Amino acid sequence: MKFIAAALTLAAVASAQIQLSDPTEGTVWKVGVAQYVRWTGNCAAMGAAGKAVTVEVVNGPAGNVKFIANIGTIDCTSTTNTSTSLTVPPQTNNGPFVSGTYALRVNADPIQYTTNFIINNPDAPAASAGPSATTPSTTEPTTKPSSANTLMAGSALAMAALAAVQLVL
Ligand SMILES: *[C@@H]1O[C@H](CO)[C@@H](O)[C@H](O)[C@H]1NC(C)=O
């Protein structure tokens, strides 16, 4: 709740600097495959923090989205380079990435969301896709530690600060 309130406050005082143009509705991504995130405009006004803006997969109703996975960062400070390829991990902190409808949250200032689109994981079909067999799992890739929890706890401003610190380190 605190998080949402902070996001709304920022949205009220800052006009959107970037607009996400890809993925769009109808887009289908597959886990483990690099896919392009594209935007228009730039976030140069964010300063150094704009060079490492985190991108997360989320789902749920607008205003009450649920964090699913951190998929990396974009540098949206450039006026010429407005795309970055990112990969959704086959594994999240809560197990295999489940096929379904998701959106991306881009933690720019203000925070931006894509429209809903599909992300598929052939190894973890959506629950409604039929009788789910207990697939004998191959060796599970170890996901690298993510800063997701820190991000969830912090406000948008804290995130910007975090990104700035990460750049310095
Ligand atoms: C654009 O930036 C991303 C990183 O933010 C980089 O991976 C990509 O190679 C760049 N593309 C061009 C055409 O410079």
Side-chain angles (χ1 to χ4, degrees), residues 75 81 83-84:
D75 174 356
N81 184 350
S83 69
T84 300

